[in-house]
Amino acid sequence: MKKPIREVIVVEGRYDKNALLQVVDATVITLGGFAVFDDKEKLAFLRRLAEKQGIIVLTDSDGAGFVIRNYLKGALPRELVKQAYIPDISGKERRKRYAGKEGKLGVEGMSPEILLESLRRAGATFLDENGADSKPAEDPITKTDLFLWGLSGGANSAEKRSALLKKLDLPERLTANGLLEALNLLYSREEAEHLIAEL
């Protein structure tokens, strides 16, 4: 049974949209890849959607996906946009003859379980039969925490950050700010401290 989600989900292309619509009952908007950079109307439309019901950005974990994601981060109101990340998994989609440049599966190549988990981790608002939703607020993890935990501003912080990204099954290209955002979406402060202590 498809899971109803309140937010609008933004993906790169139609095959990503098809994959998502197999598992969720939500509005899914395609960007047309890099075409979104020159499409002022689509951007204005996305801003309105963000203000009305919120947006979840779900792009591939390759370089192109991050270029698009970072563009949207600057173009849309941050407080209305959630970031969903798929893990780095090597392979190629069935419809393609060859793997992508980086050899990673995109959104369309993810299993329904991984797609749902990515949306859940992003803080997607799953609606019940009555249209109600729930998500408790917690004490957020800050940039100071990342510094104190040795994940930024230190001699080996890049290596430690890389090890944590791998351990948490997050994309290797995630910046320190991206990691901060992901940690706040996925874990409580106590859970994050525990995971980092195990590195």
Side-chain angles (χ1 to χ4, degrees):
M1 192 173 121
K2 292 186 190 181
K3 303 281 188 187
I5 291 177
R6 169 170 293 161
E7 293 87 358
V8 172
I9 304 170
V10 177
V11 295
E12 292 178 53
R14 64 189 171 105
Y15 292 103
D16 302 331
K17 179 176 183 173
N18 293 344
L20 266 178
L21 289 177
Q22 302 299 313
V23 293
V24 297
D25 178 11
T27 303
V28 181
I29 304 288
T30 59
L31 297 171
F34 290 147
V36 72
F37 298 157
D38 299 318
D39 194 339
K40 301 302 175 210
E41 288 179 0
K42 182 162 273 184
L43 211 51
F45 177 57
L46 291 174
R47 279 195 196 101
R48 286 200 310 273
L49 288 173
E51 288 165 8
K52 186 170 187 271
Q53 60 193 105
I55 281 183
I56 298 173
V57 176
L58 179 60
T59 60
D60 294 348
S61 62
D62 60 5
F66 270 81
V67 168
I68 293 167
R69 182 187 295 277
N70 288 331
Y71 172 75
L72 291 177
K73 274 185 178 179
L76 299 173
R78 279 185 178 237
E79 68 279 5
L80 303 175
V81 180
K82 297 174 180 177
Q83 303 290 333
Y85 298 98
I86 57 169
D88 286 329
I89 298 175
S90 298
K92 76 167 191 66
E93 284 81 13
R94 267 181 271 159
R95 73 176 177 88
K96 293 182 179 173
R97 206 170 198 159
Y98 306 104
K101 201 189 307 183
E102 296 180 33
K104 297 175 184 175
L105 287 175
V107 170
E108 71 171 282
M110 295 292 131
S111 70
E113 295 77 22
I114 289 176
L115 289 174
L116 278 175
E117 183 57 23
S118 296
L119 293 168
R120 198 169 277 118
R121 286 175 160 193
T125 308
F126 287 89
L127 304 170
D128 63 20
E129 295 80 33
N130 305 318
D133 58 84
S134 62
K135 187 162 191 322
E138 293 189 22
D139 183 24
I141 298 164
T142 65
K143 285 187 175 184
T144 304
D145 294 318
L146 292 190
F147 177 76
L148 294 173
W149 295 336
L151 294 169
S152 69
N156 299 319
S157 53
E159 292 86 356
K160 194 167 182 180
R161 206 164 52 244
S162 179
L164 182 63
L165 290 171
K166 193 170 185 75
K167 179 185 178 92
L168 301 182
D169 210 14
L170 291 169
E172 63 191 19
R173 292 178 179 274
L174 215 52
T175 61
N177 283 338
L179 174 61
L180 178 63
E181 187 173 42
L183 287 174
N184 274 309
L185 289 170
L186 306 175
Y187 304 100
S188 68
R189 176 182 294 278
E190 293 72 29
E191 289 168 335
E193 284 177 330
H194 182 72
L195 288 163
I196 292 159
E198 289 177 346
L199 290 178

